[in-house]
């Protein structure tokens, strides 16, 4: 018993000290950072008053509340609000801005997008039209070039409040292309999946549901197929017209490897607009497009459509990207070649690099330059020209077609009819005069 009591006595001292420290910690209040509720001037005033009147020191202290924030300084609310900056001058606004990105030692310089190329990101939660179209596409296993090509206008085209003027661009024959153009972000493969035999009916059903006024059908290039997919294209158009004859249909096709018989099949399927894009000038075509696509081959496609349907019985359309390094003279020559084959509609848009693996942007063209080329195209005889930084081949195609092409042609027909009636009245008046003269 005596031997065991010695170690216990040695432990009593440390235990008492530990218990005393714990009691001291528990009795003291935890220290918090505090947020002052009064301004510095009021604090200094209260400090002065407290020093002069000790009895009132407890009532003059600022009210505090506990917080876990280490920084007790609170900035004024105005610093968190965006300042109303004055509008930039045109020379400053159009200046290209660069920024360096990447880790140290491997930084690279990239060009920031100008303000006129920035668009809001669409949201299915806030836009019911956009959500419905997206859900129907997934349910029917359909693809759109709007999504595959990362079009910046998808929210505006799909989510417009007026469904009759909305546009959608359905991409037929899958989402994998057999070609590899250096500007396009669509997936490529030499042997894509087989065609879906239900796609023509599913496409027609989806378009009948949406109640759109205009639709663009495009497709990937399917050089692995004997007909390039022309019959699949034509069958889809026929089913759409059967379900909704009033729907305006534009077909944006490939060149079918120059097989004009396949071009005829699509042209005679009942569509309203036949579109095929030359994409760029003839000099830049070998560097921008796939080697199997040539500028002259594209011109032959557009020319053959008019030969099949007649000059005034179908609209032909093409699109050109700017900002790839083309010159003004090259653009002039491109427009002249398009007019030689009676192309009716041309669009100009800014090329935007989809990924770092694609061609870089050589120049961001200003809105004023786009407007200049629009006026030049109209002066050359094109029925309509959509030109702007965010314009794409199918951007607001329904609005452009309905308001600018059909109405213009209808006006020309009306004026020709009125002129014919005026000639007829003049002829009748001349005959009456001749009959009166002969009677006299």
């Amino acid at each position: 018993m005596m031997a065991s009591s010695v170690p216990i006595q040695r432990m009593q001292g440390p235990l008492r000290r530990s218990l005393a420290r714990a009691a001291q910690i528990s009795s003291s209040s935890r220290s918090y950072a505090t947020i002052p509720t009064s301004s510095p001037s009021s604090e200094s005033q209260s400090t002065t008053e407290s020093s002069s009147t000790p009895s009132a020191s407890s009532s003059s202290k600022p009210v505090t509340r506990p917080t876990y924030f280490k920084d007790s300084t609170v900035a004024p609310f105005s610093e968190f609000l965006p300042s109303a900056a004055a509008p930039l001058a045109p020379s400053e606004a159009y200046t290209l801005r660069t920024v360096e990105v990447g880790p140290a030692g491997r930084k690279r310089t990239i060009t920031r997008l100008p303000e006129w190329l920035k668009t809001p990101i669409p949201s299915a939660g806030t836009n019911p039209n956009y959500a419905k179209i997206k859900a129907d596409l997934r349910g029917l296993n359909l693809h759109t070039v709007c999504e595959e090509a990362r079009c910046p206008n998808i929210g505006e085209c799909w989510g417009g409040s007026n469904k009759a003027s909305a546009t959608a661009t359905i991409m037929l024959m899958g989402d994998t292309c057999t070609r590899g153009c250096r500007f396009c972000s669509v997936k490529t493969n030499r042997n894509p999946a087989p065609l879906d035999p239900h796609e023509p009916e599913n496409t027609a059903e989806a378009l009948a549901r949406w109640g759109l006024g205009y639709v663009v059908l495009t497709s990937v290039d399917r050089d692995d197929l004997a007909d390039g997919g022309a019959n699949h294209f034509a069958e889809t158009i026929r089913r759409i017209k059967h379900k909704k004859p009033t729907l305006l249909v534009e077909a944006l096709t490939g060149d079918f490897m120059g097989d004009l018989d396949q071009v005829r099949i699509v042209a005679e399927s009942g569509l309203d607009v036949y579109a095929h894009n030359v994409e760029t000038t003839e000099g830049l075509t070998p560097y921008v497009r796939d080697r199997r696509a040539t500028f002259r081959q594209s011109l032959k496609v557009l020319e053959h459509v008019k030969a099949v349907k007649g000059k005034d019985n179908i609209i032909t359309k093409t699109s050109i990207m700017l900002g790839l390094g083309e010159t003004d003279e090259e653009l002039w020559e491109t427009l002249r070649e398009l007019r030689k084959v009676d192309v009716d509609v041309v669009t100009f848009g800014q090329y935007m690099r989809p990924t770092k693996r694609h061609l870089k942007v050589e120049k961001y063209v200003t809105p004023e330059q786009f407007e200049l080329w629009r006026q030049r195209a109209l002066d050359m005889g094109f029925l309509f020209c959509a030109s702007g930084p965010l314009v794409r081949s199918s951007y607001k195609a329904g609005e452009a077609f309905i308001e600018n092409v059909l109405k213009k042609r209808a006006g020309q027909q009306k004026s020709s009819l009125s002129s014919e009636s005026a000639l007829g009245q003049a002829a009748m008046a001349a005959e009456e005069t001749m009959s009166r003269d002969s009677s006299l």
Side-chain angles (χ1 to χ4, degrees):
M1 293 296 293
M2 295 297 293
S4 62
S5 62
V6 175
I8 295 176
Q9 292 176 358
R10 292 178 179 177
M11 294 173 61
Q12 288 179 353
L15 284 173
R16 290 193 186 99
R17 288 192 294 270
S18 298
L19 291 173
R21 281 197 299 268
Q24 183 181 2
I25 293 173
S26 62
S27 62
S28 63
S29 61
R30 183 175 180 179
S31 60
Y32 293 96
T34 58
I35 300 178
T37 58
S38 59
S39 62
S41 60
S42 62
E43 288 181 3
S44 61
Q45 183 179 359
S46 63
T47 305
T48 305
E49 292 177 355
S50 64
S51 61
S52 59
T53 57
S55 61
S57 61
S58 59
S59 61
S60 63
K61 288 182 179 180
V63 180
T64 61
R65 63 182 178 86
T67 177
Y68 286 98
F69 290 106
K70 301 301 181 184
D71 189 0
S72 61
T73 304
V74 179
F77 182 69
S78 59
E79 292 189 9
F80 296 93
L81 298 177
S83 59
L88 297 175
S91 59
E92 184 179 358
Y94 297 154
T95 302
L96 296 184
R97 292 173 171 81
T98 60
V99 63
E100 290 188 354
V101 297
R106 291 186 297 171
K107 289 186 177 294
R108 66 181 189 278
T109 302
I110 62 173
T111 302
R112 299 179 66 97
L113 284 179
E115 291 298 325
W116 64 79
L117 287 176
K118 296 180 180 180
T119 57
I121 299 175
S123 172
T126 59
N127 198 314
N129 286 346
Y130 175 85
K132 176 174 176 54
I133 290 178
K134 192 175 183 67
D136 286 344
L137 288 169
R138 299 292 83 79
L140 294 172
N141 194 28
L142 299 177
H143 304 277
T144 64
V145 73
C146 315
E147 297 172 294
E148 299 296 333
R150 306 177 184 182
C151 180
N153 306 309
I154 185 171
E156 185 178 356
C157 290
W158 286 15
S161 57
N162 184 6
K163 292 175 68 177
S165 64
T167 61
T169 305
I170 304 296
M171 190 165 68
L172 303 176
M173 297 184 275
D175 61 350
T176 306
C177 186
T178 56
R179 298 189 185 181
C181 296
R182 297 169 184 85
F183 65 90
C184 183
S185 63
V186 176
K187 293 181 291 187
T188 62
N189 195 310
R190 291 183 179 179
N191 298 302
L195 297 182
D196 180 6
H198 303 291
E199 188 175 49
E201 179 63 25
N202 289 343
T203 302
E205 178 63 26
L207 296 176
R209 290 181 191 177
W210 297 339
L212 303 177
Y214 192 100
V215 65
V216 181
L217 300 177
T218 187
S219 73
V220 292
D221 281 295
R222 292 298 300 262
D223 297 328
D224 59 314
L225 303 176
D227 64 346
N231 288 284
H232 192 85
F233 235 123
E235 180 63 20
T236 304
I237 296 170
R238 284 192 289 265
R239 288 180 181 266
I240 292 172
K241 286 294 186 177
H242 177 73
K243 285 184 177 289
K244 192 174 181 182
T246 58
L247 180 62
L248 298 174
V249 179
E250 173 186 328
L252 175 58
T253 74
D255 56 16
F256 300 110
M257 294 289 289
D259 189 346
L260 299 182
D261 290 335
Q262 311 309 325
V263 176
R264 175 187 292 273
I265 291 174
V266 179
E268 293 179 340
S269 61
L271 76 168
D272 300 286
V273 180
Y274 195 112
H276 174 66
N277 294 341
V278 296
E279 306 294 2
T280 186
T281 62
E282 185 172 10
L284 290 177
T285 295
Y287 306 99
V288 175
R289 302 173 69 186
D290 187 272
R291 58 181 176 81
R292 287 162 284 188
T294 66
F295 184 82
R296 293 294 161 180
Q297 189 166 272
S298 294
L299 287 180
K300 290 180 180 178
V301 170
L302 294 166
E303 184 179 23
H304 192 66
V305 173
K306 289 287 188 177
V308 171
K309 295 292 293 182
K311 183 178 179 180
D312 298 325
N313 295 327
I314 194 169
I315 300 291
T316 52
K317 174 182 173 183
T318 194
S319 297
I320 301 173
M321 297 179 293
L322 302 186
L324 287 166
E326 66 285 339
T327 64
D328 286 357
E329 182 54 40
E330 287 177 328
L331 282 176
W332 276 117
E333 183 61 27
T334 301
L335 293 179
R336 284 192 287 265
E337 292 294 331
L338 294 173
R339 287 304 301 140
K340 289 179 182 179
V341 295
D342 295 320
V343 173
D344 298 301
V345 179
V346 63
T347 66
F348 294 101
Q350 171 69 53
Y351 166 67
M352 297 175 68
R353 191 182 193 183
T355 70
K356 64 181 181 180
R357 294 179 288 105
H358 293 80
L359 288 172
K360 67 176 183 178
V361 179
E362 295 294 335
K363 178 182 180 182
Y364 286 116
V365 182
T366 64
E368 285 76 11
Q369 290 174 300
F370 276 107
E371 176 61 21
L372 179 62
W373 280 109
R374 187 185 75 85
Q375 292 292 339
R376 289 171 175 173
L378 294 177
D379 292 341
M380 292 182 69
F382 289 95
L383 291 179
F384 177 73
C385 175
S387 181
L390 293 176
V391 169
R392 296 296 180 264
S393 178
S394 58
Y395 173 60
K396 287 298 181 185
E399 181 180 0
F401 183 91
I402 295 170
E403 294 185 2
N404 297 282
V405 179
L406 282 184
K407 287 184 178 181
K408 186 169 183 178
R409 285 202 164 182
Q412 291 175 348
Q413 292 176 357
K414 184 177 179 180
S415 62
S416 63
L417 290 175
S418 61
S419 62
E420 289 177 1
S421 61
L423 289 173
Q425 292 175 1
M428 291 176 62
E431 289 179 358
E432 291 178 357
T433 303
M434 291 177 63
S435 61
R436 284 198 304 268
D437 292 342
S438 61
S439 62
L440 292 174

